[in-house]
Amino acid sequence: VKVGGGAPISVQTMTKTKTDDIAGTVAQIKAATEEGCDIVRVTVNDKEAAESMAEIVRQSPIPIVADIHFNHIFALKAIQGGVAKVRINPGNIGSKDRIREVLTAAKDKGIPIRIGVNSGSLEEDILEKHGYPTAEALYESAMRHVGICDEFDFRDVIISVKSTDVRLMIEAYRLVAARTDIPLHLGVTEAGLTRVGTIKSAVGIGTLLAEGIGDTIRVSLTDDPVKEVEVGKEILR
């Protein structure tokens, strides 16, 4: 699935199952695909999840993004398992050797990395500098991770700068779009229950899409992934 440039805007969702429940996870992916989902993110948060990835990838009808937070071993395992993309912030996984290992593995397989910055988990020094999460703070955090990738000659990246605050999310994406050419994944974090989450996502994602900003979207709801895809497709329509 092409993302960025002149490619159509793709719709993503995220599985809500325990990843090592392979049958349950694959069933959710297939249901979301039938609803029109293009890309699915799966959490790789423990050893069992990492070991399940190859089989989930094998059975999935659409590309899988491995969601990794701090463990570079899980990232390497997911890359070996054949995922199509890894969501990881290089600055969060420790030493330069670890970063080099993950970026080299991703580059060898020709897979991109999504740098996923979130207003709820900004680096302490950036928070201290800005006082609280601001659009500039989110931009600075994203570019710090992009800079680390650049250092290792890795440029196949996509950025998300999400927040639960719709206005902050809009401002942060506008800033990144104005200052870089990097493709953007749009979303409002933990948008909430279906009604409120749908409204928040429609306003946040819809505003940016109307301005020509955004290459792929995910509506985050406390609901079935199929519902997320349904709302995402409706926003695009």
Side-chain angles (χ1 to χ4, degrees):
V1 175
K2 289 192 171 163
V3 173
I9 292 162
S10 51
V11 175
Q12 300 191 20
T13 188
M14 186 168 184
T15 52
K16 308 286 171 81
T17 48
K18 230 181 149 321
T19 304
D20 61 357
D21 169 11
I22 294 173
T25 303
V26 169
Q28 257 193 12
I29 293 170
K30 286 182 173 170
T33 306
E34 276 168 34
E35 190 58 45
C37 186
D38 301 299
I39 298 167
V40 64
R41 183 155 53 109
V42 177
T43 188
V44 185
N45 55 353
D46 57 29
K47 191 165 166 285
E48 291 71 29
E51 282 164 1
S52 304
M53 287 311 286
E55 187 54 30
I56 292 168
V57 167
R58 197 182 69 76
Q59 294 187 42
S60 173
I62 55 174
I64 289 183
V65 182
D67 191 50
I68 318 268
H69 289 272
F70 304 104
N71 194 311
H72 84 294
I73 298 292
F74 296 166
L76 293 170
K77 194 93 178 150
I79 291 167
Q80 284 160 11
V83 297
K85 178 160 72 179
V86 174
R87 185 265 187 188
I88 193 167
N89 292 345
N92 291 355
I93 58 172
S95 70
K96 292 222 163 172
D97 285 344
R98 288 180 179 180
I99 296 167
R100 182 182 285 107
E101 225 181 318
V102 172
L103 295 181
T104 303
K107 199 171 188 176
D108 287 348
K109 294 275 190 184
I111 67 171
I113 281 176
R114 167 148 79 86
I115 291 166
V117 173
N118 194 319
S119 64
S121 55
L122 282 170
E123 295 92 327
E124 276 180 36
D125 64 315
I126 289 178
L127 263 183
E128 219 165 273
K129 177 181 169 186
H130 294 273
Y132 56 95
T134 61
E136 275 289 351
L138 286 164
Y139 169 79
E140 192 176 317
S141 176
M143 295 320 289
R144 174 181 289 181
H145 295 293
V146 169
I148 292 168
C149 289
D150 267 348
E151 204 182 310
F152 294 99
D153 198 31
F154 188 94
R155 295 190 172 80
D156 195 1
V157 296
I158 182 164
I159 292 175
S160 61
V161 279
K162 296 184 178 181
S163 175
T164 51
D165 180 318
V166 176
R167 192 167 56 176
L168 173 57
M169 170 261 188
I170 290 170
E171 284 172 8
Y173 278 107
R174 279 176 176 159
L175 211 52
V176 180
R179 296 177 184 175
T180 81
D181 276 338
I182 297 169
L184 299 175
H185 168 69
L186 305 184
V188 178
T189 323
E190 293 162 11
L193 297 168
T194 305
R195 184 173 166 274
V196 172
T198 297
I199 293 166
K200 285 176 80 172
S201 295
V203 171
I205 294 170
T207 299
L208 291 163
L209 290 178
E211 294 174 11
I213 295 169
D215 301 281
T216 180
I217 66 170
R218 184 222 167 174
V219 173
S220 174
L221 301 174
T222 316
D223 205 333
D224 193 286
V226 169
K227 200 71 180 167
E228 294 189 348
V229 176
E230 202 181 285
V231 174
K233 300 288 280 186
E234 200 55 49
I235 290 170
L236 278 184
R237 201 174 289 124

